Amino acid sequence: MAALNATLSTTVGGIADIAAAAVAATGAGDTAPVGPGMFLLVINGGAASRTVTIATPGTVAGHAVADATLVVAAGKSGVIPLTNLFRGATGRAAITYDAVTSVTVAVITLGA
């Protein structure tokens, strides 16, 4: 798994080219920081939809929480918040993809 780094988007400067912050998704999956104001951007440049899964390692009242999935249509982009719900033993989210051809990802954090 590759460790994704967050790109800061400030309220003053923003991010003019958000796609430039994206890197190729890794076939073995990626990890990402989690917390308030963090989001995973998924850009699907392929001809088929792609499913992104983020593991939810915790439980609520002793019950497992289903992993989060995001289906990104061909040629489209999607965003999913990286909340503390996804924090694993390493302190990061574990992200997997059904395929990675033409898929790029970025972690965006909103700052002041």
Side-chain angles (χ1 to χ4, degrees):
M1 291 191 149
L4 300 173
N5 295 314
T7 298
L8 177 64
S9 175
T10 63
T11 55
V12 175
I15 298 177
D17 184 3
I18 199 164
V23 297
T26 306
D30 293 312
T31 66
V34 298
M38 297 240 175
F39 298 86
L40 177 68
L41 168 69
V42 180
I43 303 169
N44 180 6
S49 64
R50 294 290 172 235
T51 301
V52 180
T53 303
I54 304 176
T56 52
T59 60
V60 174
H63 300 282
V65 179
D67 292 344
T69 59
L70 175 67
V71 177
V72 182
K76 301 293 182 180
S77 300
V79 174
I80 189 166
L82 291 171
T83 68
N84 284 316
L85 175 67
F86 304 120
R87 185 179 304 277
T90 64
R92 297 173 67 85
I95 305 160
T96 56
Y97 315 93
D98 67 337
V100 295
T101 302
S102 300
V103 175
T104 56
V105 293
V107 176
I108 308 298
T109 184
L110 303 178

